[in-house]
Amino acid sequence: MIDKNDINVEGVALNEASTEIEKFAKKVFDKLMEEGVYPIPYYYSIYFFNMLEDESNEFKKSVMELIELEGSNELEEDLKFEQKLKQSFKYSKELVQNSAMVYKLSNMLKEKNSSYLKEIDNISTPQAFKNILLSSKKNAEAINQKMATSLKIIKDLYAKNVTTLKEIEKETIFDSVYGLYNKNYFLRELKREIAQIQKFKHTSSLIILKANSAVLNKLKSEKSKKVVNRFISKILLKTSRRTDIIAHLGNGVFGMLLKHTDRIGAMRTSERLSDMISTSSMFIEGDELEVKVVIGISEINSSKNEVEIMDCTYTKLSEAENEDQLYKICEE
């Protein structure tokens, strides 16, 4: 444990807590200092919820509403996703079972035909031959009916499984190529952040960036271009804050949702990213390549929806590249 005196707050100007939640947050922090506990998120959350139990029901209710808004319904979405996965496994299992039945019926038909061929070799009268044909036809019709039933089930199960897998794909949040979130998840988070801004009146920003086309056009293969994009994605991950949402939006375009960051902060982030990317050495196709990026920036306005904000930022991205600038900013 640390001593409260180990933390030097001398010379740091703190705004006086004004709202009830701010006063409570300060009280939690003071309690941590008083008991000599590290003021890190893990311990703070424990003390936060423990001390919340001593507050009034009205205050607890208002705080929990804020927490629920921040946390969204991720658990519910996870449960729905897991249900669809289980449904897909069920369909796959039934597909295997019915495929096995078709295989079994095919073998049965083959064995029956072999048996009839052997009987034909020993036929002595036309009536005996007729009886074998009738028996063969009857067995073949019975087996064919069972096979038709199983094949129809297989067809229906396959269609259901394809539909379920497409739904699962829509709900995935990860881009396996670049190790980032995907566009679907990014749009959901952007929509949620707009709702947060409408309620709490803070400021956040959106950055959309990609490698300059002049850089990519120097490369001979798509594989090399993908390597460049992976290089950019690694730097984005390395330099981002824990609260930033980083995603691959498709076709080598990346998005960053910078929470509680105004346009000035977004501009500084863009300049810092550009410096880090351009000054990092990268050798590809036998030569050293200086990677340059172009960026579109939007300060998120709660009066616009996520599609409008994305469209504006994409437009500024294109303008920045056409005008050979590092970034362009969406104006309100």
Side-chain angles (χ1 to χ4, degrees), residues 161-187:
N161 208 18
V162 167
T163 300
T164 302
L165 288 172
K166 285 181 178 178
E167 290 175 357
I168 290 172
E169 186 177 3
K170 287 179 182 178
E171 294 178 16
T172 57
I173 67 171
F174 189 67
D175 185 297
S176 58
V177 176
Y178 296 107
L180 306 173
Y181 290 118
N182 61 22
K183 185 175 182 179
N184 290 334
Y185 179 79
F186 190 80
L187 288 174

PDB file of all heavy atoms in Angstrom, residues 161-187:
ATOM      1  N   ASN A 161     -28.850 -22.554 -42.317  1.00  0.00           N
ATOM      2  CA  ASN A 161     -27.501 -22.340 -41.781  1.00  0.00           C
ATOM      3  C   ASN A 161     -26.814 -21.169 -42.468  1.00  0.00           C
ATOM      4  O   ASN A 161     -26.137 -20.365 -41.819  1.00  0.00           O
ATOM      5  CB  ASN A 161     -26.663 -23.615 -41.944  1.00  0.00           C
ATOM      6  CG  ASN A 161     -25.591 -23.728 -40.886  1.00  0.00           C
ATOM      7  OD1 ASN A 161     -25.649 -23.069 -39.851  1.00  0.00           O
ATOM      8  ND2 ASN A 161     -24.601 -24.561 -41.116  1.00  0.00           N
ATOM      9  N   VAL A 162     -26.991 -21.053 -43.778  1.00  0.00           N
ATOM     10  CA  VAL A 162     -26.402 -19.933 -44.514  1.00  0.00           C
ATOM     11  C   VAL A 162     -26.966 -18.604 -44.002  1.00  0.00           C
ATOM     12  O   VAL A 162     -26.235 -17.635 -43.776  1.00  0.00           O
ATOM     13  CB  VAL A 162     -26.667 -20.078 -46.030  1.00  0.00           C
ATOM     14  CG1 VAL A 162     -26.342 -18.778 -46.763  1.00  0.00           C
ATOM     15  CG2 VAL A 162     -25.842 -21.214 -46.612  1.00  0.00           C
ATOM     16  N   THR A 163     -28.293 -18.566 -43.791  1.00  0.00           N
ATOM     17  CA  THR A 163     -28.939 -17.352 -43.276  1.00  0.00           C
ATOM     18  C   THR A 163     -28.415 -16.988 -41.888  1.00  0.00           C
ATOM     19  O   THR A 163     -28.095 -15.829 -41.610  1.00  0.00           O
ATOM     20  CB  THR A 163     -30.469 -17.553 -43.200  1.00  0.00           C
ATOM     21  OG1 THR A 163     -30.968 -17.845 -44.503  1.00  0.00           O
ATOM     22  CG2 THR A 163     -31.150 -16.297 -42.669  1.00  0.00           C
ATOM     23  N   THR A 164     -28.309 -18.010 -41.024  1.00  0.00           N
ATOM     24  CA  THR A 164     -27.815 -17.772 -39.662  1.00  0.00           C
ATOM     25  C   THR A 164     -26.373 -17.292 -39.676  1.00  0.00           C
ATOM     26  O   THR A 164     -26.001 -16.367 -38.946  1.00  0.00           O
ATOM     27  CB  THR A 164     -27.917 -19.058 -38.822  1.00  0.00           C
ATOM     28  OG1 THR A 164     -29.273 -19.502 -38.803  1.00  0.00           O
ATOM     29  CG2 THR A 164     -27.458 -18.817 -37.388  1.00  0.00           C
ATOM     30  N   LEU A 165     -25.534 -17.902 -40.527  1.00  0.00           N
ATOM     31  CA  LEU A 165     -24.129 -17.506 -40.602  1.00  0.00           C
ATOM     32  C   LEU A 165     -23.983 -16.073 -41.111  1.00  0.00           C
ATOM     33  O   LEU A 165     -23.090 -15.342 -40.677  1.00  0.00           O
ATOM     34  CB  LEU A 165     -23.356 -18.473 -41.499  1.00  0.00           C
ATOM     35  CG  LEU A 165     -23.125 -19.871 -40.913  1.00  0.00           C
ATOM     36  CD1 LEU A 165     -22.534 -20.812 -41.963  1.00  0.00           C
ATOM     37  CD2 LEU A 165     -22.199 -19.804 -39.706  1.00  0.00           C
ATOM     38  N   LYS A 166     -24.858 -15.666 -42.036  1.00  0.00           N
ATOM     39  CA  LYS A 166     -24.828 -14.288 -42.524  1.00  0.00           C
ATOM     40  C   LYS A 166     -25.197 -13.311 -41.403  1.00  0.00           C
ATOM     41  O   LYS A 166     -24.623 -12.230 -41.293  1.00  0.00           O
ATOM     42  CB  LYS A 166     -25.783 -14.125 -43.705  1.00  0.00           C
ATOM     43  CG  LYS A 166     -25.264 -14.737 -45.001  1.00  0.00           C
ATOM     44  CD  LYS A 166     -26.234 -14.519 -46.147  1.00  0.00           C
ATOM     45  CE  LYS A 166     -25.683 -15.102 -47.438  1.00  0.00           C
ATOM     46  NZ  LYS A 166     -26.640 -14.935 -48.568  1.00  0.00           N
ATOM     47  N   GLU A 167     -26.174 -13.706 -40.572  1.00  0.00           N
ATOM     48  CA  GLU A 167     -26.558 -12.868 -39.431  1.00  0.00           C
ATOM     49  C   GLU A 167     -25.411 -12.765 -38.429  1.00  0.00           C
ATOM     50  O   GLU A 167     -25.162 -11.698 -37.867  1.00  0.00           O
ATOM     51  CB  GLU A 167     -27.803 -13.453 -38.751  1.00  0.00           C
ATOM     52  CG  GLU A 167     -29.068 -13.322 -39.588  1.00  0.00           C
ATOM     53  CD  GLU A 167     -30.248 -14.009 -38.946  1.00  0.00           C
ATOM     54  OE1 GLU A 167     -30.068 -14.639 -37.876  1.00  0.00           O
ATOM     55  OE2 GLU A 167     -31.357 -13.919 -39.498  1.00  0.00           O
ATOM     56  N   ILE A 168     -24.733 -13.900 -38.206  1.00  0.00           N
ATOM     57  CA  ILE A 168     -23.581 -13.903 -37.300  1.00  0.00           C
ATOM     58  C   ILE A 168     -22.487 -12.986 -37.825  1.00  0.00           C
ATOM     59  O   ILE A 168     -21.879 -12.217 -37.089  1.00  0.00           O
ATOM     60  CB  ILE A 168     -23.049 -15.341 -37.105  1.00  0.00           C
ATOM     61  CG1 ILE A 168     -24.051 -16.170 -36.296  1.00  0.00           C
ATOM     62  CG2 ILE A 168     -21.685 -15.341 -36.411  1.00  0.00           C
ATOM     63  CD1 ILE A 168     -23.715 -17.645 -36.222  1.00  0.00           C
ATOM     64  N   GLU A 169     -22.256 -13.072 -39.134  1.00  0.00           N
ATOM     65  CA  GLU A 169     -21.215 -12.239 -39.753  1.00  0.00           C
ATOM     66  C   GLU A 169     -21.526 -10.754 -39.587  1.00  0.00           C
ATOM     67  O   GLU A 169     -20.639  -9.943 -39.347  1.00  0.00           O
ATOM     68  CB  GLU A 169     -21.092 -12.593 -41.235  1.00  0.00           C
ATOM     69  CG  GLU A 169     -19.944 -11.885 -41.933  1.00  0.00           C
ATOM     70  CD  GLU A 169     -19.802 -12.299 -43.384  1.00  0.00           C
ATOM     71  OE1 GLU A 169     -20.632 -13.089 -43.865  1.00  0.00           O
ATOM     72  OE2 GLU A 169     -18.868 -11.831 -44.039  1.00  0.00           O
ATOM     73  N   LYS A 170     -22.823 -10.406 -39.687  1.00  0.00           N
ATOM     74  CA  LYS A 170     -23.212  -9.008 -39.523  1.00  0.00           C
ATOM     75  C   LYS A 170     -22.949  -8.510 -38.108  1.00  0.00           C
ATOM     76  O   LYS A 170     -22.729  -7.321 -37.889  1.00  0.00           O
ATOM     77  CB  LYS A 170     -24.702  -8.846 -39.851  1.00  0.00           C
ATOM     78  CG  LYS A 170     -25.038  -8.946 -41.336  1.00  0.00           C
ATOM     79  CD  LYS A 170     -26.532  -8.787 -41.543  1.00  0.00           C
ATOM     80  CE  LYS A 170     -26.902  -8.932 -43.021  1.00  0.00           C
ATOM     81  NZ  LYS A 170     -28.374  -8.835 -43.226  1.00  0.00           N
ATOM     82  N   GLU A 171     -23.006  -9.409 -37.135  1.00  0.00           N
ATOM     83  CA  GLU A 171     -22.868  -9.016 -35.735  1.00  0.00           C
ATOM     84  C   GLU A 171     -21.443  -9.139 -35.202  1.00  0.00           C
ATOM     85  O   GLU A 171     -21.184  -8.803 -34.055  1.00  0.00           O
ATOM     86  CB  GLU A 171     -23.824  -9.853 -34.875  1.00  0.00           C
ATOM     87  CG  GLU A 171     -25.284  -9.555 -35.169  1.00  0.00           C
ATOM     88  CD  GLU A 171     -26.230 -10.406 -34.347  1.00  0.00           C
ATOM     89  OE1 GLU A 171     -25.779 -10.995 -33.346  1.00  0.00           O
ATOM     90  OE2 GLU A 171     -27.414 -10.481 -34.700  1.00  0.00           O
ATOM     91  N   THR A 172     -20.530  -9.640 -36.024  1.00  0.00           N
ATOM     92  CA  THR A 172     -19.145  -9.723 -35.562  1.00  0.00           C
ATOM     93  C   THR A 172     -18.584  -8.308 -35.400  1.00  0.00           C
ATOM     94  O   THR A 172     -19.012  -7.375 -36.077  1.00  0.00           O
ATOM     95  CB  THR A 172     -18.260 -10.513 -36.549  1.00  0.00           C
ATOM     96  OG1 THR A 172     -18.335  -9.906 -37.854  1.00  0.00           O
ATOM     97  CG2 THR A 172     -18.720 -11.963 -36.643  1.00  0.00           C
ATOM     98  N   ILE A 173     -17.633  -8.163 -34.517  1.00  0.00           N
ATOM     99  CA  ILE A 173     -17.085  -6.830 -34.232  1.00  0.00           C
ATOM    100  C   ILE A 173     -15.605  -6.717 -34.592  1.00  0.00           C
ATOM    101  O   ILE A 173     -15.015  -5.649 -34.436  1.00  0.00           O
ATOM    102  CB  ILE A 173     -17.273  -6.471 -32.744  1.00  0.00           C
ATOM    103  CG1 ILE A 173     -16.419  -7.390 -31.851  1.00  0.00           C
ATOM    104  CG2 ILE A 173     -18.739  -6.544 -32.346  1.00  0.00           C
ATOM    105  CD1 ILE A 173     -16.380  -6.970 -30.397  1.00  0.00           C
ATOM    106  N   PHE A 174     -15.012  -7.797 -35.095  1.00  0.00           N
ATOM    107  CA  PHE A 174     -13.559  -7.849 -35.253  1.00  0.00           C
ATOM    108  C   PHE A 174     -13.169  -8.012 -36.712  1.00  0.00           C
ATOM    109  O   PHE A 174     -13.770  -8.785 -37.452  1.00  0.00           O
ATOM    110  CB  PHE A 174     -13.016  -9.024 -34.433  1.00  0.00           C
ATOM    111  CG  PHE A 174     -11.516  -9.066 -34.320  1.00  0.00           C
ATOM    112  CD1 PHE A 174     -10.824  -8.092 -33.623  1.00  0.00           C
ATOM    113  CD2 PHE A 174     -10.801 -10.087 -34.911  1.00  0.00           C
ATOM    114  CE1 PHE A 174      -9.445  -8.130 -33.517  1.00  0.00           C
ATOM    115  CE2 PHE A 174      -9.430 -10.145 -34.818  1.00  0.00           C
ATOM    116  CZ  PHE A 174      -8.749  -9.160 -34.123  1.00  0.00           C
ATOM    117  N   ASP A 175     -12.169  -7.256 -37.122  1.00  0.00           N
ATOM    118  CA  ASP A 175     -11.578  -7.396 -38.456  1.00  0.00           C
ATOM    119  C   ASP A 175     -10.303  -8.224 -38.314  1.00  0.00           C
ATOM    120  O   ASP A 175      -9.304  -7.753 -37.771  1.00  0.00           O
ATOM    121  CB  ASP A 175     -11.250  -6.016 -39.046  1.00  0.00           C
ATOM    122  CG  ASP A 175     -10.742  -6.097 -40.481  1.00  0.00           C
ATOM    123  OD1 ASP A 175      -9.676  -6.709 -40.690  1.00  0.00           O
ATOM    124  OD2 ASP A 175     -11.406  -5.551 -41.379  1.00  0.00           O
ATOM    125  N   SER A 176     -10.359  -9.464 -38.789  1.00  0.00           N
ATOM    126  CA  SER A 176      -9.243 -10.393 -38.562  1.00  0.00           C
ATOM    127  C   SER A 176      -8.001 -10.042 -39.374  1.00  0.00           C
ATOM    128  O   SER A 176      -6.897 -10.445 -39.028  1.00  0.00           O
ATOM    129  CB  SER A 176      -9.685 -11.828 -38.907  1.00  0.00           C
ATOM    130  OG  SER A 176     -10.129 -11.902 -40.246  1.00  0.00           O
ATOM    131  N   VAL A 177      -8.159  -9.284 -40.453  1.00  0.00           N
ATOM    132  CA  VAL A 177      -7.011  -8.945 -41.308  1.00  0.00           C
ATOM    133  C   VAL A 177      -6.088  -7.948 -40.602  1.00  0.00           C
ATOM    134  O   VAL A 177      -4.866  -8.095 -40.615  1.00  0.00           O
ATOM    135  CB  VAL A 177      -7.483  -8.371 -42.660  1.00  0.00           C
ATOM    136  CG1 VAL A 177      -6.277  -7.921 -43.500  1.00  0.00           C
ATOM    137  CG2 VAL A 177      -8.301  -9.398 -43.421  1.00  0.00           C
ATOM    138  N   TYR A 178      -6.691  -6.940 -39.967  1.00  0.00           N
ATOM    139  CA  TYR A 178      -5.889  -5.865 -39.369  1.00  0.00           C
ATOM    140  C   TYR A 178      -5.904  -5.868 -37.840  1.00  0.00           C
ATOM    141  O   TYR A 178      -5.264  -5.025 -37.215  1.00  0.00           O
ATOM    142  CB  TYR A 178      -6.365  -4.507 -39.894  1.00  0.00           C
ATOM    143  CG  TYR A 178      -6.149  -4.358 -41.383  1.00  0.00           C
ATOM    144  CD1 TYR A 178      -7.216  -4.397 -42.267  1.00  0.00           C
ATOM    145  CD2 TYR A 178      -4.865  -4.226 -41.902  1.00  0.00           C
ATOM    146  CE1 TYR A 178      -7.021  -4.282 -43.633  1.00  0.00           C
ATOM    147  CE2 TYR A 178      -4.657  -4.115 -43.258  1.00  0.00           C
ATOM    148  CZ  TYR A 178      -5.737  -4.147 -44.124  1.00  0.00           C
ATOM    149  OH  TYR A 178      -5.532  -4.051 -45.470  1.00  0.00           O
ATOM    150  N   GLY A 179      -6.635  -6.792 -37.243  1.00  0.00           N
ATOM    151  CA  GLY A 179      -6.646  -6.881 -35.784  1.00  0.00           C
ATOM    152  C   GLY A 179      -7.327  -5.705 -35.109  1.00  0.00           C
ATOM    153  O   GLY A 179      -6.976  -5.331 -33.986  1.00  0.00           O
ATOM    154  N   LEU A 180      -8.309  -5.099 -35.789  1.00  0.00           N
ATOM    155  CA  LEU A 180      -9.045  -3.959 -35.256  1.00  0.00           C
ATOM    156  C   LEU A 180     -10.535  -4.283 -35.230  1.00  0.00           C
ATOM    157  O   LEU A 180     -10.967  -5.329 -35.702  1.00  0.00           O
ATOM    158  CB  LEU A 180      -8.814  -2.720 -36.130  1.00  0.00           C
ATOM    159  CG  LEU A 180      -7.364  -2.295 -36.389  1.00  0.00           C
ATOM    160  CD1 LEU A 180      -7.338  -1.169 -37.413  1.00  0.00           C
ATOM    161  CD2 LEU A 180      -6.696  -1.853 -35.095  1.00  0.00           C
ATOM    162  N   TYR A 181     -11.338  -3.355 -34.700  1.00  0.00           N
ATOM    163  CA  TYR A 181     -12.782  -3.500 -34.816  1.00  0.00           C
ATOM    164  C   TYR A 181     -13.181  -3.349 -36.284  1.00  0.00           C
ATOM    165  O   TYR A 181     -12.443  -2.780 -37.093  1.00  0.00           O
ATOM    166  CB  TYR A 181     -13.495  -2.439 -33.973  1.00  0.00           C
ATOM    167  CG  TYR A 181     -13.363  -2.653 -32.493  1.00  0.00           C
ATOM    168  CD1 TYR A 181     -12.729  -1.716 -31.683  1.00  0.00           C
ATOM    169  CD2 TYR A 181     -13.889  -3.789 -31.886  1.00  0.00           C
ATOM    170  CE1 TYR A 181     -12.613  -1.904 -30.313  1.00  0.00           C
ATOM    171  CE2 TYR A 181     -13.770  -3.991 -30.519  1.00  0.00           C
ATOM    172  CZ  TYR A 181     -13.127  -3.054 -29.741  1.00  0.00           C
ATOM    173  OH  TYR A 181     -13.005  -3.257 -28.393  1.00  0.00           O
ATOM    174  N   ASN A 182     -14.383  -3.842 -36.632  1.00  0.00           N
ATOM    175  CA  ASN A 182     -14.855  -3.687 -38.004  1.00  0.00           C
ATOM    176  C   ASN A 182     -15.823  -2.509 -38.119  1.00  0.00           C
ATOM    177  O   ASN A 182     -16.155  -1.851 -37.128  1.00  0.00           O
ATOM    178  CB  ASN A 182     -15.488  -4.982 -38.517  1.00  0.00           C
ATOM    179  CG  ASN A 182     -16.700  -5.407 -37.691  1.00  0.00           C
ATOM    180  OD1 ASN A 182     -17.320  -4.599 -37.004  1.00  0.00           O
ATOM    181  ND2 ASN A 182     -17.032  -6.683 -37.759  1.00  0.00           N
ATOM    182  N   LYS A 183     -16.294  -2.255 -39.331  1.00  0.00           N
ATOM    183  CA  LYS A 183     -17.123  -1.076 -39.595  1.00  0.00           C
ATOM    184  C   LYS A 183     -18.454  -1.148 -38.851  1.00  0.00           C
ATOM    185  O   LYS A 183     -18.937  -0.132 -38.336  1.00  0.00           O
ATOM    186  CB  LYS A 183     -17.366  -0.938 -41.101  1.00  0.00           C
ATOM    187  CG  LYS A 183     -18.108   0.330 -41.479  1.00  0.00           C
ATOM    188  CD  LYS A 183     -18.223   0.478 -42.982  1.00  0.00           C
ATOM    189  CE  LYS A 183     -18.930   1.774 -43.355  1.00  0.00           C
ATOM    190  NZ  LYS A 183     -19.024   1.953 -44.832  1.00  0.00           N
ATOM    191  N   ASN A 184     -19.065  -2.339 -38.802  1.00  0.00           N
ATOM    192  CA  ASN A 184     -20.358  -2.468 -38.130  1.00  0.00           C
ATOM    193  C   ASN A 184     -20.263  -2.034 -36.671  1.00  0.00           C
ATOM    194  O   ASN A 184     -21.111  -1.281 -36.176  1.00  0.00           O
ATOM    195  CB  ASN A 184     -20.848  -3.925 -38.201  1.00  0.00           C
ATOM    196  CG  ASN A 184     -21.246  -4.324 -39.602  1.00  0.00           C
ATOM    197  OD1 ASN A 184     -21.618  -3.468 -40.402  1.00  0.00           O
ATOM    198  ND2 ASN A 184     -21.181  -5.600 -39.900  1.00  0.00           N
ATOM    199  N   TYR A 185     -19.244  -2.528 -35.987  1.00  0.00           N
ATOM    200  CA  TYR A 185     -19.068  -2.179 -34.578  1.00  0.00           C
ATOM    201  C   TYR A 185     -18.777  -0.681 -34.432  1.00  0.00           C
ATOM    202  O   TYR A 185     -19.292  -0.015 -33.520  1.00  0.00           O
ATOM    203  CB  TYR A 185     -17.923  -2.994 -33.977  1.00  0.00           C
ATOM    204  CG  TYR A 185     -17.662  -2.685 -32.514  1.00  0.00           C
ATOM    205  CD1 TYR A 185     -18.468  -3.219 -31.514  1.00  0.00           C
ATOM    206  CD2 TYR A 185     -16.615  -1.842 -32.136  1.00  0.00           C
ATOM    207  CE1 TYR A 185     -18.243  -2.921 -30.179  1.00  0.00           C
ATOM    208  CE2 TYR A 185     -16.386  -1.546 -30.801  1.00  0.00           C
ATOM    209  CZ  TYR A 185     -17.201  -2.090 -29.835  1.00  0.00           C
ATOM    210  OH  TYR A 185     -16.984  -1.788 -28.518  1.00  0.00           O
ATOM    211  N   PHE A 186     -17.956  -0.153 -35.320  1.00  0.00           N
ATOM    212  CA  PHE A 186     -17.581   1.266 -35.260  1.00  0.00           C
ATOM    213  C   PHE A 186     -18.813   2.151 -35.396  1.00  0.00           C
ATOM    214  O   PHE A 186     -18.964   3.137 -34.650  1.00  0.00           O
ATOM    215  CB  PHE A 186     -16.581   1.582 -36.379  1.00  0.00           C
ATOM    216  CG  PHE A 186     -15.945   2.937 -36.266  1.00  0.00           C
ATOM    217  CD1 PHE A 186     -14.885   3.158 -35.407  1.00  0.00           C
ATOM    218  CD2 PHE A 186     -16.416   3.998 -37.028  1.00  0.00           C
ATOM    219  CE1 PHE A 186     -14.296   4.415 -35.296  1.00  0.00           C
ATOM    220  CE2 PHE A 186     -15.844   5.254 -36.934  1.00  0.00           C
ATOM    221  CZ  PHE A 186     -14.778   5.463 -36.063  1.00  0.00           C
ATOM    222  N   LEU A 187     -19.703   1.810 -36.326  1.00  0.00           N
ATOM    223  CA  LEU A 187     -20.910   2.605 -36.523  1.00  0.00           C
ATOM    224  C   LEU A 187     -21.826   2.533 -35.298  1.00  0.00           C
ATOM    225  O   LEU A 187     -22.447   3.537 -34.920  1.00  0.00           O
ATOM    226  CB  LEU A 187     -21.659   2.132 -37.774  1.00  0.00           C
ATOM    227  CG  LEU A 187     -21.009   2.489 -39.108  1.00  0.00           C
ATOM    228  CD1 LEU A 187     -21.766   1.840 -40.267  1.00  0.00           C
ATOM    229  CD2 LEU A 187     -20.951   4.000 -39.304  1.00  0.00           C
TER     230      LEU A 187
END
